[in-house]
Amino acid sequence: MKLNKKQLATAVLALFTAWGAEAQAPPAAPSAPAESNYFLFPIKPGERNYLSGTMGEIRSNHFHGGLDIKTEQRVGLPVHAAADGYVSRVKQSSYGYGNIIYITHPNGLVTTYAHLLEYYKPLAAYMLQKQYEKQAFDLELFPEPGQFPVKRGEVIGLSGNTGGSGGPHLHFEIRDKQDRLYNPLKYKFSEVIDTTPPDIYSLGISPLNIYARVNNEFSREELRTKQVGSNYSIADTVYAHGLIGLELQTIDRLDGAANKNGTQEVTLVVNGEELYRHYIDQVPFELSRQVSQHINYNQYKMRGRTFQKAFVDYGNDLPLYKTKERDGRLTVQPDSVYKVQLVARDSYNNVSTLSFVVKGQKPTFTQTVAANVKKPALDYEIMGNVLKISATDTNATPQNIELYVGNQALMLVPSYMKNSTSVSLYDLRAGLPDSMRFCGLSTDFKLKRMVPPGKDFMFSNRDMKVQFDKESLYDTLYLQTDLDKGVYTIGDYFTPLHKAMKVTIRPDTAGLDLGKAAVYFLGTGRGRGYTGGKWEGNTITFTTKNMGKFKVLEDTRPPYIRLVSKSRNGISFKVSDDLSGLNSFDAWVDGKWILMKYEHKTATIWSEKLDKSVPLSGEVILKVKDNAGNEATYTGRI
C-alpha cells in the first residue's frame, strides 16, 4: 500500500508514541555456563578487582581475547591458578604475551596468564635451564602433563608488564583445546562489579549496492546519538532506499573504572523481528584477524573509530552470528516505515537500546549549490563494487563525466548534485575504467585487475608481481598499483587482508648493497616498518598482510649499544637500531655464554646467571645484530 505524506507522518508519529516505556524488551542474553564457580579469580581472589580490558574489545588486527586485570599500577602482585591442572605450555618473549603460562584443567579448558614479571620458582628454574641449553632468550616449552601440577589458588607467578603490554596488568584468558577464546566474564566472577550499561555513541548507515541511497545520497552517514538513561535516539528520521547496512559505535564501562571496554553483544531488531545478533564468545584464535570484517575497517584505520557492523560482511567466517536472510542487511522499500532497535548488552546483562525510524524514499535527482566554487575539481572513491565520482564545476550546473573503459568512451549522467558537486556512479563489474575527464581535468585510475576472493590469483606487469592466496581476500578487490620515485603502491592501505600476499619487485639497485637492502612498509607514506624480503638477482620477494606503499631502503648503520651497569652480579645495556630493527644479541663472560633478557619497551637487555652463586669475572663481549645484518660489538671486563 502506498501512503501519502499525511498518512506517512501519522504512521511515524504512532510508532514513536508506541515506544518509550513500552518499547520491545531486548532479546535475552545467552545463559551462563553450568560451572559458573569453577574458576577462581587470578588476582586478589575474593577482593574487589578492576578491569582495563574485556573480551571482544576491538584491537588493530584481532579481538581482545580475555580480561586485562588491573594490578594497582604496579608489578609484583601474586597470580593464582584459576583451578587445579598442570602447566602445559610456557613461553618467554619481549613481544606479544611476554612471559606467559598456560594451565590445562580437568574440564578440558585452558587458562592463560600473560605479561608476567616472574614464574613461580620450579617453572622459572626449568625455563632458565632450557634457555641455557638452547642459548636463547625467546623460548616456548611444552612440559609433560605431570611435570608441573598446580592446585586451585596456588601462586604461579607475579604480575608484570612484559611483552606487548602497555602498562602493568595481568592478561587472563580461558580457551578450549581448539584454541577458541571464551569470555571469562560469563563465569560471573564476584570480584568484578558491573551495573553500568554500554554507551552508544553513533550510528553508521551505508548503501550496499549501486541502487541504494541514504538520505537520497550514495554515501555512508554517521549520526550521533542522544541519550536518556540507557535509551538512545537520533535527532532525525533516516530516509533510505534499497540495500543498506547498519553499524554501531558502542563501548562498555565497568563500575569504578573509566576504561573503554568491549560490548559483547549487539542485536538488530526491525519491526519487532530480530534480523541479526552477534555474541562475542568462543572466538577461534586463528580467525581472530577477521575482526577486520566485523568492523568498518576503513573508519578504524582512517579515524581510529570502531563501528561494529550489524550484518555479516562477505568473507567473515566467525561463528559469532545469528541472522536471518541477507545476513542482517536491510532492504528498504519506497513508502515503507521501519522501526529499528539496536540493542547493546554487556557480560553482566546491562542493556542500552538505540531506537530510530527509517522511511523508504525512492531516489530522485536533487540539486544544491555551494556559496562559492573557486575552481573545478574531480575526485573518486571505490565503495564496494561502485565507483563514485565527484565533479565540481564553477558554474554549478550538473555535468556528465567522460569515462573511458578500454576503447569505449562512456558518458556518466549524475545521480544527484550536492553543494555544486555532481555525483556519478559506475558499477565496476561492467569493466574496469582507465581514466575519466571533466572540464579539462583528467584522472588515471591505475586499476589493474578485479581480483576475486576464495581463489589463488596472480597479477604481474613490468613493475611487480602480486600473488594472492585463496584466503588473502575477504571480498572482491579492485586492484590499483603504481610505481613512483621508488615507492610501490599495491592496493589501498584501508583494505584489510586475511592471509598474506606475496610480492616480487625489481627496484633500481644501482649503488645498493643488496646484503643491506630490504623492503619497508610505508603505510600511507609516513612509516618505515621492516618487511624484509629475499633477493634473487635484482628482484626481491616478500610477503605482507598489509596493503599500501612499499619501498626498498638500505640500512648500513650498526645497532647502538650503551653500557648501563656491570658488576660481579650482572651486566645491563641499552640497545637499539634506527631502521631495520634488532634481530639477535648474544653475550659471553670469560668465554662462556650468558643469558641476556630483553625488554623492547625500555630498549634494555640484562643478564641472568644460571648459577646465582658464581660471580661474574673476566672479559665481557656483547654482539648485537640488526635485520640488515649489521653488527655492533661491546667489549669490557668485570
Side-chain angles (χ1 to χ4, degrees):
M1 180 180 68
K2 187 173 181 179
L3 304 178
N4 60 35
K5 290 184 177 179
K6 184 176 180 180
Q7 290 171 322
L8 190 61
T10 302
V12 173
L13 180 61
L15 284 172
F16 274 114
T17 304
W19 283 355
E22 297 183 3
Q24 175 181 320
S31 59
E35 298 178 294
S36 295
N37 298 316
Y38 186 87
F39 290 115
L40 182 77
F41 202 75
I43 295 288
K44 298 186 296 184
E47 300 180 37
R48 176 75 180 273
N49 271 266
Y50 300 91
L51 306 179
S52 58
T54 59
M55 178 78 177
E57 203 168 299
I58 308 299
R59 299 295 169 88
S60 60
N61 58 9
H62 65 282
F63 289 103
H64 187 246
L67 305 182
D68 284 343
I69 305 171
K70 294 188 177 188
T71 56
E72 303 172 358
Q73 299 182 339
R74 61 189 177 98
V75 301
L77 268 63
V79 175
H80 301 265
D84 290 356
Y86 63 90
V87 175
S88 53
R89 184 177 171 192
V90 60
K91 185 176 181 180
Q92 189 164 95
S93 171
S94 180
Y95 297 93
Y97 289 115
N99 300 337
I100 180 171
I101 295 173
Y102 298 73
I103 296 178
T104 296
H105 304 284
N107 65 357
L109 297 179
V110 178
T111 52
T112 72
Y113 313 77
H115 308 306
L116 299 174
L117 175 67
E118 296 177 5
Y119 308 120
Y120 72 120
K121 286 184 179 180
L123 189 60
Y126 171 72
M127 170 62 77
L128 186 62
Q129 180 67 45
K130 294 298 183 181
Q131 286 174 311
Y132 268 88
E133 288 178 11
K134 297 180 181 295
Q135 295 193 356
F137 164 63
D138 286 342
L139 196 60
E140 184 173 17
L141 301 171
F142 298 86
E144 294 297 321
Q147 196 168 354
F148 295 103
V150 295
K151 290 292 186 182
R152 188 176 194 267
E154 182 180 348
V155 175
I156 57 170
L158 300 179
S159 67
N161 186 30
T162 58
S165 170
H169 73 281
L170 176 72
H171 178 81
F172 175 68
E173 295 176 350
I174 299 175
R175 307 182 180 192
D176 63 15
K177 291 180 179 179
Q178 287 74 45
D179 260 350
R180 289 178 296 198
L181 296 160
Y182 286 63
N183 178 22
L185 288 182
K186 73 181 184 180
Y187 288 85
K188 305 301 179 186
F189 293 112
S190 61
E191 289 84 354
V192 177
I193 299 175
D194 182 12
T195 61
T196 306
D199 293 328
I200 297 176
Y201 293 139
S202 297
L203 170 71
I205 310 178
S206 296
L208 298 181
N209 62 28
I210 197 168
Y211 307 106
R213 298 291 186 271
V214 178
N215 291 330
N216 208 44
E217 296 179 24
F218 186 82
S219 178
R220 179 180 178 274
E221 292 278 339
E222 274 185 26
L223 302 168
R224 299 291 291 181
T225 63
K226 297 190 299 182
Q227 179 183 6
V228 178
S230 60
N231 295 311
Y232 293 77
S233 63
I234 55 178
D236 301 313
T237 298
V238 177
Y239 292 88
H241 177 266
L243 193 65
I244 64 172
L246 303 179
E247 306 164 3
L248 195 65
Q249 186 188 23
T250 174
I251 60 99
D252 187 43
R253 300 182 196 273
L254 284 77
D255 294 14
N259 303 82
K260 297 179 179 180
N261 300 313
T263 302
Q264 189 185 14
E265 179 182 298
V266 171
T267 304
L268 169 63
V269 179
V270 179
N271 291 338
E273 180 182 12
E274 181 181 311
L275 297 187
Y276 165 96
R277 180 198 298 230
H278 75 243
Y279 180 70
I280 302 175
D281 189 32
Q282 299 186 46
V283 179
F285 194 82
E286 72 277 7
L287 294 183
S288 188
R289 190 176 177 86
Q290 290 191 8
V291 69
S292 301
Q293 285 298 87
H294 177 80
I295 64 171
N296 187 316
Y297 185 81
N298 182 289
Q299 291 298 310
Y300 181 79
K301 296 294 282 188
M302 186 178 294
R303 302 164 59 200
R305 299 182 68 185
T306 303
F307 283 83
Q308 300 186 57
K309 298 170 185 174
F311 60 97
V312 184
D313 211 345
Y314 304 111
N316 184 350
D317 299 321
L318 288 163
L320 310 179
Y321 308 103
K322 178 183 177 183
T323 66
K324 293 202 171 179
E325 57 181 310
R326 293 193 178 276
D327 285 336
R329 296 169 180 82
L330 180 62
T331 301
V332 179
Q333 302 289 349
D335 303 316
S336 298
V337 179
Y338 301 85
K339 172 186 172 183
V340 182
Q341 289 182 307
L342 280 164
V343 182
R345 185 192 302 271
D346 66 23
S347 298
Y348 286 81
N349 287 329
N350 301 299
V351 173
S352 293
T353 302
L354 169 63
S355 302
F356 59 98
V357 163
V358 175
K359 293 182 186 178
Q361 183 183 68
K362 189 174 181 179
T364 58
F365 186 88
T366 58
Q367 180 177 347
T368 61
V369 179
N372 185 20
V373 179
K374 295 182 178 179
K375 60 182 181 180
L378 185 61
D379 199 6
Y380 73 93
E381 63 177 313
I382 295 174
M383 298 175 61
N385 294 309
V386 179
L387 176 67
K388 177 183 176 183
I389 300 172
S390 301
T392 306
D393 187 11
T394 53
N395 63 17
T397 59
Q399 298 283 340
N400 294 343
I401 302 295
E402 296 179 65
L403 192 70
Y404 295 87
V405 182
N407 296 322
Q408 290 185 309
L410 307 177
M411 298 300 291
L412 289 186
V413 177
S415 296
Y416 56 89
M417 173 179 267
K418 180 179 181 181
N419 297 330
S420 300
T421 297
S422 297
V423 177
S424 302
L425 306 175
Y426 172 76
D427 193 324
L428 289 167
R429 292 172 293 185
L432 299 185
D434 307 305
S435 62
M436 62 180 174
R437 288 179 175 79
F438 167 80
C439 289
L441 302 175
S442 64
T443 296
D444 293 331
F445 292 111
K446 304 185 187 304
L447 284 161
K448 300 300 192 296
R449 291 286 188 278
M450 183 175 72
V451 185
K455 60 176 64 178
D456 296 333
F457 189 92
M458 185 181 75
F459 161 77
S460 64
N461 61 14
R462 65 181 182 179
D463 300 321
M464 67 188 74
K465 180 170 69 173
V466 185
Q467 296 173 269
F468 295 93
D469 181 87
K470 63 181 180 181
E471 296 183 55
S472 293
L473 300 175
Y474 294 108
D475 199 359
T476 300
L477 171 69
Y478 296 95
L479 178 64
Q480 297 174 283
T481 68
D482 192 24
L483 172 59
D484 182 32
K485 298 178 181 178
V487 176
Y488 293 79
T489 300
I490 305 172
D492 183 349
Y493 175 74
F494 302 105
T495 299
L497 291 176
H498 182 221
K499 293 289 181 69
M501 62 181 181
K502 184 178 180 181
V503 181
T504 300
I505 58 177
R506 189 186 300 272
D508 181 2
T509 57
L512 276 183
D513 179 353
L514 300 190
K516 307 293 184 184
V519 175
Y520 290 78
F521 178 58
L522 308 183
T524 56
R526 297 183 294 273
R528 291 194 311 174
Y530 177 80
T531 301
K534 181 179 180 181
W535 287 97
E536 293 185 11
N538 290 332
T539 66
I540 184 169
T541 299
F542 62 97
T543 59
T544 177
K545 287 186 177 180
N546 297 297
M547 297 189 120
K549 299 181 183 296
F550 301 86
K551 189 173 184 178
V552 172
L553 299 174
E554 186 180 21
D555 182 2
T556 60
R557 297 179 61 179
Y560 167 79
I561 300 175
R562 179 174 66 84
L563 176 69
V564 174
S565 65
K566 62 177 181 178
S567 71
R568 298 172 76 82
N569 292 321
I571 50 176
S572 65
F573 301 86
K574 289 284 187 181
V575 293
S576 62
D577 188 74
D578 68 344
L579 185 55
S580 63
L582 297 182
N583 178 273
S584 65
F585 48 86
D586 284 287
W588 297 263
V589 176
D590 196 27
K592 298 177 181 178
W593 187 86
I594 186 170
L595 174 66
M596 301 297 293
K597 294 192 168 185
Y598 177 45
E599 175 49 69
H600 76 274
K601 296 190 292 291
T602 60
T604 304
I605 58 174
W606 67 97
S607 64
E608 181 171 359
K609 297 184 291 183
L610 180 61
D611 187 342
K612 306 295 191 291
S613 66
V614 178
L616 298 180
S617 177
E619 183 182 40
V620 176
I621 299 175
L622 171 66
K623 292 185 177 181
V624 181
K625 287 185 179 181
D626 65 17
N627 284 304
N630 301 301
E631 183 175 279
T633 302
Y634 167 87
T635 59
R637 294 195 66 84
I638 296 178

